[in-house]
Amino acid sequence: MTLPKLTPRLLGYLLALLLALGLMYYLRPSAGTSQVGEEAIVQRDWPEIQREGVLRILSAYTDGAVEIKDGLRTGAIYELAKQLTARSGLRVEVVLENDWTRALAALRRGEVDLIARPLAHTSEVDTLSFRPWRAHSAAPLYLVQRRDSAQLIRQQLALGGKTLVLPEGSPYTLFVQHLSEEIGEPIHLSYDSLYPSEQLAMRVAAGSIDYTLATGREAERYRKILPELDCSLPLSYTIREAWLLRRDAPQLADSLSRWLP
């Protein structure tokens, strides 16, 4: 069999083919990841967590989850970590992040395995919801305002035209938008990139801002530590709080259902 003569044109075709194959290999999906838009989502479920021996849970500094006692971090999230360590045999690491956008990105990238903080479960959250480990999983949000304010609000309709200040990346944006449609007047939103929920409540107490929101547990806490505040007005409907897992972690969800009371 006579081999074809290696002409410059044929050599160019072969080189182009090799470059195309190399590019296809370089752009192939990496093992254990999937691509959504431009964000790689790590496939990490119970087998991968068990092999590493580490479960990472993310929480916020607020809502009593984290407290400082004798120079050490304590609180509900650390009690949860102890429970999970005892029942799973894993080393449980706590990651603290107040910003909701960064928290959700860390979950999607596999940097954490569970967001253990109450949040509103909406269609914007493209993850697998999971029940809270504490009670009061369904409760309204409360308006946070000063008791001595000349603009003290007693009903939801009076929120029309007012501005609520929320932490940047707050999961309650969609809730406020729906409430605005419900009362038929715009409720303005302003976002604070520096302060989480409790610090915003302190700013309301100090008169720096007029209104913010609080969960039921936060409102109960503010009544005790910030007597200047009025947190008595529940907003229109109930927020069902849910912790989050990635959709690719059904085995971890089953395990957590067994471990958590």
Side-chain angles (χ1 to χ4, degrees):
M1 180 178 178
T2 303
L3 295 175
K5 186 177 180 181
L6 195 61
T7 64
R9 177 177 292 181
L10 181 58
L11 184 61
Y13 288 153
L14 290 173
L15 182 59
L17 178 61
L18 289 173
L19 287 173
L21 291 173
L23 184 61
M24 290 171 62
Y25 179 81
Y26 177 76
L27 294 177
R28 79 194 192 288
S30 301
T33 66
S34 62
Q35 197 76 19
V36 178
E38 297 181 353
E39 182 181 10
I41 300 180
V42 174
Q43 305 298 314
R44 178 178 165 86
D45 199 357
W46 171 243
E48 292 78 16
I49 294 169
Q50 190 177 37
R51 276 197 298 272
E52 186 183 359
V54 179
L55 175 69
R56 297 179 180 89
I57 55 178
L58 183 147
S59 186
Y61 291 91
T62 56
D63 194 36
V66 180
E67 300 172 2
I68 304 298
K69 186 176 181 180
D70 298 328
L72 300 175
R73 286 176 177 172
T74 63
I77 193 62
Y78 291 97
E79 291 302 316
L80 172 66
K82 290 178 183 178
Q83 291 182 35
L84 290 176
T85 296
R87 295 172 185 177
S88 69
L90 299 170
R91 184 173 85 251
V92 179
E93 296 180 354
V94 175
V95 177
L96 298 176
E97 175 57 69
N98 280 331
D99 185 270
W100 164 244
T101 303
R102 289 196 290 265
L104 189 57
L107 179 66
R108 286 173 171 161
R109 292 194 298 263
E111 296 170 4
V112 297
D113 303 302
L114 168 69
I115 295 181
R117 54 180 286 189
L119 51 94
H121 185 206
T122 70
S123 59
E124 289 185 336
V125 179
D126 184 23
T127 47
L128 176 66
S129 64
F130 185 74
R131 65 175 178 80
W133 101 92
R134 293 185 289 187
H136 313 298
S137 61
L141 291 174
Y142 288 84
L143 182 68
V144 178
Q145 55 186 331
R146 290 185 304 282
R147 289 184 181 278
D148 61 356
S149 172
Q151 302 183 56
L152 190 67
I153 291 177
R154 295 297 188 186
Q155 56 182 351
Q156 290 88 351
L157 288 174
L159 279 170
K162 300 297 190 296
T163 298
L164 300 179
V165 182
L166 300 178
E168 188 172 15
S170 171
Y172 300 131
T173 296
L174 189 61
F175 170 83
V176 176
Q177 291 171 351
H178 287 171
L179 179 59
S180 181
E181 293 174 0
E182 184 178 315
I183 67 175
E185 289 190 65
I187 300 173
H188 306 296
L189 282 172
S190 177
Y191 297 98
D192 193 302
S193 60
L194 183 60
Y195 296 111
S197 300
E198 186 166 322
Q199 279 65 38
L200 289 181
M202 292 178 179
R203 293 191 66 198
V204 173
S208 301
I209 59 176
D210 293 323
Y211 308 104
T212 188
L213 297 180
T215 64
R217 282 189 293 273
E218 288 171 338
E220 184 177 350
R221 174 175 166 79
Y222 299 161
R223 292 184 192 109
K224 295 176 181 177
I225 66 173
L226 296 168
E228 306 92 337
L229 295 181
D230 181 289
C231 305
S232 61
L233 179 64
L235 300 184
S236 296
Y237 55 85
T238 292
I239 286 287
R240 291 195 173 274
E241 296 174 340
W243 291 352
L244 297 182
L245 302 170
R246 288 180 303 277
R247 290 189 183 276
D248 69 347
Q251 294 181 54
L252 177 59
D254 290 341
S255 297
L256 288 168
S257 295
R258 294 194 303 269
W259 296 334
L260 298 178

